[in-house]
Amino acid sequence: MDLSFSPEEEAFRAEVREWVASALPPHLAEKAAVDAHFSMDEVMEWHKVLAAKGWIAPHWPEAVGGPGWSVTQRFIFTEELETAGTPQLSPFGLSMVGPLLIQFGTAAQKERYLPKILSGEEVWCQGYSEPGSGSDLASLRTEAKDEGDHFLVNGQKTWTTYAQYADWIFCLVRTNSTVKQQAGISFLLIDMKTEGVTVKPMLTSGHTPAFCDTFFDNVKVPKENVVGKIDQGWTMAKALLGHERTLIAAVGQCGRAIQRVKRIAQNETLDGKPLLEDPLFRAKIARLEIQLEAHRMANLRTLAGAQLGHAPGPESSILKLRGSEILQQALELQMEAMGQNALSWFNEPGVVPPDEEWVASVFNYTRATTIYGGSNEIQKNIIAKLILGLPQPGKA
Amino acid sequence: MDLSFSPEEEAFRAEVREWVASALPPHLAEKAAVDAHFSMDEVMEWHKVLAAKGWIAPHWPEAVGGPGWSVTQRFIFTEELETAGTPQLSPFGLSMVGPLLIQFGTAAQKERYLPKILSGEEVWCQGYSEPGSGSDLASLRTEAKDEGDHFLVNGQKTWTTYAQYADWIFCLVRTNSTVKQQAGISFLLIDMKTEGVTVKPMLTSGHTPAFCDTFFDNVKVPKENVVGKIDQGWTMAKALLGHERTLIAAVGQCGRAIQRVKRIAQNETLDGKPLLEDPLFRAKIARLEIQLEAHRMANLRTLAGAQLGHAPGPESSILKLRGSEILQQALELQMEAMGQNALSWFNEPGVVPPDEEWVASVFNYTRATTIYGGSNEIQKNIIAKLILGLPQPGKA
Amino acid sequence: MDLSLTEDQKMIRETAATFVKKESPVERSRKLRDTDLGHDAAVYRQMGELGWLGLPLPEHVGGFGGSMVDAAILLEEFGKTLVPEPYLASVVLGGMAVAHGASTAQQQELLGPMVEGDSVLALGWAERGSRYDASAIEARAEKRGDAWSITGEKVWVLGGHAADHLVVSAKTGAGVSLFHVAAGAKGLDVTTVKTMDGRKAATLRLEGAEGALLGDEGAAGPVLDHVLDKAAAAACAEGVGVANAVLWMTVEYLKTRKQFGVPIGIFQALQHRAVDMFVQTELLKGTSILANAKCESTDPVERAQAVSAAKAQLSTGGFFVVAQGTQLHGGVGVTDEHDISLYFKRMRALMALFGDEEHHVARYMTLPSFTEGI
Amino acid sequence: MDLSLTEDQKMIRETAATFVKKESPVERSRKLRDTDLGHDAAVYRQMGELGWLGLPLPEHVGGFGGSMVDAAILLEEFGKTLVPEPYLASVVLGGMAVAHGASTAQQQELLGPMVEGDSVLALGWAERGSRYDASAIEARAEKRGDAWSITGEKVWVLGGHAADHLVVSAKTGAGVSLFHVAAGAKGLDVTTVKTMDGRKAATLRLEGAEGALLGDEGAAGPVLDHVLDKAAAAACAEGVGVANAVLWMTVEYLKTRKQFGVPIGIFQALQHRAVDMFVQTELLKGTSILANAKCESTDPVERAQAVSAAKAQLSTGGFFVVAQGTQLHGGVGVTDEHDISLYFKRMRALMALFGDEEHHVARYMTLPSFTEGI
């Protein structure tokens, strides 16, 4: 057992850090400094910088465009990017449909989609949830009717984050309604420019344009756009879940958020001294930072397992649970550190110091982290069932 | 609305306080000072002092021996007793079977049992739980077979607290196994000296002799010992629950426990100063005391309702929840305040200061407060169902 | 001891409950977010007509001689539908500053019209560096003949953008004093700022603005302490309304939202979470009553003990309720278009006003009452 | 970076796991509660034969030159069945004090037999007024010819009642120093005290007891800091074992205990509580690894950061696990006869040793690393 990074790993970290500092365009660096919301254009601008460097898909096999890094290098790379506050890349292509296609796609599909995911030429979004089925995906009702050479898709998807900017959407659709719920679902790729696709964006509670409803009205989709086999979409969805889980620890992001708490508290004054010197407030930060230390170790332990070739299993649900909770608590502390400045909205320069300008917005939309990607309640159900083996209702 | 006590109420408080200070026998006062465990003999000694004064049953109607106090006086009285740390009276006669008999007992039963409950001549215990049925009382299996003029009782009761000192036990027993679970239960009074009753005491985790298993082996019980009607024990149990709920806020007890935290912290030294001056530890106490303030107000609001004649309903489950949690947390803080002295067991004088001598024992058995009297999980189920009206499993 | 409402108080609650339900549903607050004023002047005037603006103010200014407990009844109802009119700003902050700090004549001059709904008052007590300490200010006032010339900056002045009359604190040789500055005064710049909860406040920049001394020079310290305690108690009362609305909105959602073929409220983990929200809401009610009753006291220790307990409780229990209410709503809870996001933001704003958890715990634990009788 | 166990470490874990299961089930610990010694001298000797007592000690004293990470593997297994032999006391406290603080010759003299299981060591570092500060002591030593005469009192000396050799701290003109006092020394009174977790410790009263200076005079400060960091890390490792045992014991109970006709583990609120216990146990594992790896460091800041994080985590997460494990067991959980009450007490004792939550949070937040790079 060795908890320190090797000289090679440390050198890699330095290389990444230096490169990020020089490669992040100045107008993005400016926004990163205050954790401002990045527009999709800005996200894709950064995507293309990483793509040009060959660092856009650390978790992809080398054969299809990955850089061939070790698990530890990937951890370091992610932590460095998060710590620097670079735009968070859209995960739908790189971390969701991409890896799925690598695993299950046909040669033609791989050739058609993967290069444009890497280059950023095509932006993806996800069509899973529906108004009536959030956590209960198996009850979805968007229908893909077999019309011989193509499907005709009708229905509505919700929480299609960033659909307004997407070129493609991957969807779970019902292709067979005569069989048991999970059995009649297929995994379908749909071109957003197809006739009959409409997108209705809405604002998050942090006033960022993220969520959308996406409507399908007699949308024609070629049959070759099914990933895996028809009616086996559930298998695809489960495989994709495994890929998604590795993304979610947010260790660097949490660390960055706690650093911002400290910075705000350093500049706010209480009784003539920096708030950071107030023992009560300082202890709040310390207790959270200790939680982050514990979380970081849990993440490293999962990585160690991955290094030995174990696929991240249900125990990685812990990473989602803790990462999302710690991030929320860090934002709560940023707000508390600001005192009455926490009253500020995020778009009026000069009202509060730059470090505090975007906090209220981020604080608000960060409430979503314990909800999306499988709510924390769902993660607990997974652990209860798959790790603890506790009896399931209806099966007692 | 008026949050202050009237001059008459303040005078009453002073009267109670003075009387307690003079009436509590010195050897009990000595134990109270360190919150030592009181033996059952000591509890009954104090019972008899209160009985002689006419203050033993504040919540009983005047006609059957109550002092005729207002709800506020009863609150003050309880708070004063708890604050003084007098022995906690055995609730089984005074607060459970007594009020039930007042409500549902025959004239003969009242005459036979009530005076001896008041005087302390007869000690009671409770036979509800069984090894297989804790929270799920309706599944109980102790059987009372109808033998004409008497029942023949067979079975086992568990958590028959202080049964080893009891003269009588009130039991829920199954008198009819051909009907639905709750329908075939009767409420039965059993003389502990009857042949076939055996008691096996066990220690709590705080090494106090409280819990018992009680076994019934062909125990003959006269039929007149049924309270209410045969097979209507469930109605009795529910009525009794209403009486029990008013006991559980433990406001004075929590306040006393927090005072002890402060006293210990005043005497322990950290960096050359009293631990109480350490901002981190002091804030822990303050946060808990604020919880107690909130709890005290919740209790007063319930009392205000009672004053208007509303019977304490399911909302008083809150008092059980919060009282038990705050008491546990106060004991946790007592332990933390002690530092390494928290390692001490409770019966070796001189190892730790007197204020700390009994803390470990009380800390350990106080874990029971969130379990007994309807576990806190059960209290939450009650609130979810009866107050929030949330859908119940099996009835969706 | 008597915790029941008087007949008058019951009537106030009933009238207010009917008002918010019929005339000020939460959609009204949502619409007013996008206006410059942020509230409806006609509704504010209506509040005057109903006698609400004068409720906790003395009779000699046209008020009803009621207490903060009476005002708290209103504020709790206002919280239930996020009524945006500047009651807290005008009556509790501006109004109480004048009531506690000004001469009788000044009270009549400033409070008389406000009580009728004809003017809005606001109090500027905080500055960029002051955090929650009203004495840590840099604004200064100098005497110029009969009047005073005030220079400094005041931030987060609730209702300041809409106020006809501003009360501001500034230092003179004698200490912190209160001054009345008319809205249009020369040397006064009022900038409207949006607040996180969709409301408005003002930054005041005073450069030699002319003002009139209220009450005695240097006497504002205890006045502001008392006013801010009342304001904190008022925030708690409004917070009770917010928590209450979120609790029942969430319970309703749990009963109607279906997943896996059943209402999600059937799941015990969610049930217990809702129960925890209920428990916290009940605790907030109790501490709010305590704070609003005790904030009338002239004993600063008794007052601070109750107010700090309640405001700390709001920051923990109140936040728990809105955070868990959001969580239990799932995705819709974090959209701007769902009402719960407005309640969430209002609760967070109430937490930030007049002292956060750290401030009130720190104050509570340094009161002499904390170590009494150990 | 490599978090996997070496082949040697895997073997240690396997041997230890087999040992605790077969030779030291929790019933053994329960029985030994009532003996004067509190452990079994034969089992302690067996630990010597297995090479465990020398595992983290240098080779020149007969040790294996391993690390605290190796010892942590053992301690975690010991925690699972509450193995009562004085490993922490003799190897980590007494042993490390000698290893870090004494000359090579002294090390060989004192550690040699201990490593074989032929003697027990103990460390007296705490006094009535010292709380967790090893430098806040009053015991004094004076030179008398070649030897030293020590006067003072040491409390909560783990294993002190069974020790052949005591290491005690005392002040001389040069500062805090360590001394070796033999168990039978004149002027030394050893009183056995029962501890909450059913084990034993000692109060040492020294009145001019003869002792030998270990290492350099006045050099004990950093030595004790380092030793107590190692001991805190060791307590975390044992705590992982305790938490692990309670977690799975509770999960098993949830699966088998029936109420309302179903296993209670079917109720979602209880399921999620068990999940929270699992999460906390996993977090403890990580921080324990961190602490045990970093406690070898000679950089006191790096060491303190990791150890304080882990020990604070033990006090919150570890307590959560045993408290909720007790709660989920219902009534039986609070009886002396159920094993979970023994685990509960052991966890609480581990929390009280070498710094509680307050101590470690306070230390963590005053380290220079806390404000680095803001």
Side-chain angles (χ1 to χ4, degrees), chain B residues 319-333:
Chain B
L319 305 181
K320 163 63 165 62
L321 281 174
R322 295 305 295 146
S324 57
E325 288 170 0
I326 292 169
L327 191 61
Q328 284 184 350
Q329 285 165 30
L331 266 302
E332 288 164 23
L333 285 188

Side-chain angles (χ1 to χ4, degrees), chain A residues 228-391:
Chain A
K229 298 206 175 117
I230 292 178
D231 289 357
Q232 291 191 352
W234 198 253
T235 312
M236 298 299 110
K238 277 198 293 185
L240 195 149
L241 197 66
H243 296 297
E244 195 186 353
R245 278 213 190 95
T246 57
L247 301 171
I248 45 186
V251 169
Q253 212 184 335
C254 291
R256 184 177 167 81
I258 291 176
Q259 279 296 92
R260 187 175 296 280
V261 178
K262 291 181 182 174
R263 211 158 54 229
I264 294 171
Q266 182 66 47
N267 293 325
E268 289 287 326
T269 306
L270 179 73
D271 292 338
K273 284 180 296 190
L275 173 64
L276 189 58
E277 290 176 25
D278 172 64
L280 265 60
F281 195 74
R282 196 174 176 114
K284 286 190 185 193
I285 308 174
R287 288 185 173 116
L288 187 61
E289 192 170 283
I290 288 170
Q291 292 300 309
L292 176 57
E293 282 292 324
H295 178 54
R296 191 166 191 261
M297 284 304 298
N299 195 23
L300 289 172
R301 288 176 65 226
T302 309
L303 285 174
Q307 228 153 3
L308 296 174
H310 308 310
E315 71 280 6
S316 57
S317 284
I318 290 185
L319 304 181
K320 163 65 166 61
L321 281 175
R322 293 307 295 145
S324 57
E325 288 170 359
I326 292 169
L327 191 61
Q328 285 184 349
Q329 286 164 30
L331 266 301
E332 289 164 23
L333 285 189
Q334 288 183 17
M335 289 286 279
E336 186 169 355
M338 286 164 66
Q340 290 206 96
N341 284 352
L343 292 168
S344 65
W345 195 229
F346 61 96
N347 50 5
E348 300 194 353
V351 174
V352 295
D355 259 329
E356 303 179 358
E357 219 168 276
W358 279 83
V359 172
S361 172
V362 182
F363 163 73
N364 272 288
Y365 68 67
T366 299
R367 300 318 298 184
T369 58
T370 47
I371 296 169
Y372 62 50
S375 74
N376 284 18
E377 289 78 13
I378 294 289
Q379 304 296 336
K380 288 189 181 182
N381 288 346
I382 292 172
I383 295 174
K385 181 178 173 181
L386 298 182
I387 299 182
L388 305 184
L390 288 169

Side-chain angles (χ1 to χ4, degrees), chain D residues 92-103:
Chain D
V92 185
L93 287 165
M96 289 298 171
V98 173
H100 285 286
S103 71

Side-chain angles (χ1 to χ4, degrees), chain B residues 73-312:
Chain B
Q73 282 179 300
R74 280 158 49 189
F75 171 80
I76 291 171
F77 181 72
T78 306
E79 196 174 44
E80 283 302 315
L81 254 54
E82 289 186 3
T83 304
T86 59
Q88 277 189 51
L89 299 174
S90 169
F92 305 110
L94 289 168
S95 303
M96 298 171 82
V97 74
L100 190 79
L101 286 169
I102 293 168
Q103 196 179 353
F104 293 103
T106 62
Q109 285 173 333
K110 289 182 197 178
E111 198 181 330
R112 162 65 188 84
Y113 297 110
L114 297 183
K116 293 185 175 176
I117 289 175
L118 286 175
S119 69
E121 202 177 327
E122 286 180 351
V123 175
W124 284 79
C125 69
Q126 177 189 40
Y128 270 27
S129 297
E130 298 184 5
S133 64
S135 300
D136 177 20
L137 268 183
S139 70
L140 64 86
R141 291 184 304 182
T142 295
E143 186 200 33
K145 205 173 154 199
D146 193 332
E147 299 276 345
D149 65 331
H150 67 273
F151 291 111
L152 211 55
V153 179
N154 280 287
Q156 179 189 350
K157 292 290 180 182
T158 188
W159 312 124
T160 53
T161 302
Y162 291 128
Q164 67 269 56
Y165 311 112
D167 302 292
W168 284 86
I169 185 168
F170 58 90
C171 286
L172 290 177
V173 295
R174 188 160 301 286
T175 36
N176 188 339
S177 53
T178 65
V179 293
K180 262 195 13 185
Q181 281 200 336
Q182 299 177 3
I185 291 173
S186 298
F187 193 100
L188 199 60
L189 314 180
I190 304 178
D191 187 337
M192 292 292 280
K193 290 178 288 294
T194 322
E195 205 186 319
V197 179
T198 45
V199 174
K200 186 192 145 225
M202 39 183 172
L203 291 176
T204 70
S205 59
H207 274 216
T208 54
F211 305 141
C212 296
D213 281 318
T214 300
F215 301 86
F216 301 92
D217 181 18
N218 285 325
V219 175
K220 276 176 76 170
V221 182
K223 279 206 166 163
E224 69 250 31
N225 288 16
V226 171
V227 183
K229 297 203 176 118
I230 291 178
D231 290 356
Q232 290 191 353
W234 197 252
T235 312
M236 297 300 110
K238 278 199 294 185
L240 194 150
L241 196 65
H243 296 298
E244 194 187 355
R245 277 213 192 92
T246 55
L247 303 170
I248 45 188
V251 169
Q253 213 183 336
C254 291
R256 182 177 169 81
I258 291 176
Q259 280 294 91
R260 186 175 296 281
V261 178
K262 291 181 182 173
R263 210 157 55 228
I264 294 171
Q266 181 68 47
N267 293 325
E268 288 287 325
T269 306
L270 180 72
D271 293 338
K273 284 181 298 193
L275 173 64
L276 189 58
E277 289 175 25
D278 172 63
L280 266 60
F281 195 75
R282 195 172 176 115
K284 286 189 186 195
I285 308 174
R287 288 187 173 114
L288 187 61
E289 192 172 282
I290 288 171
Q291 293 301 308
L292 176 57
E293 281 293 324
H295 178 53
R296 190 166 192 262
M297 285 304 299
N299 194 25
L300 288 171
R301 288 177 63 227
T302 308
L303 286 174
Q307 225 153 4
L308 296 174
H310 308 310

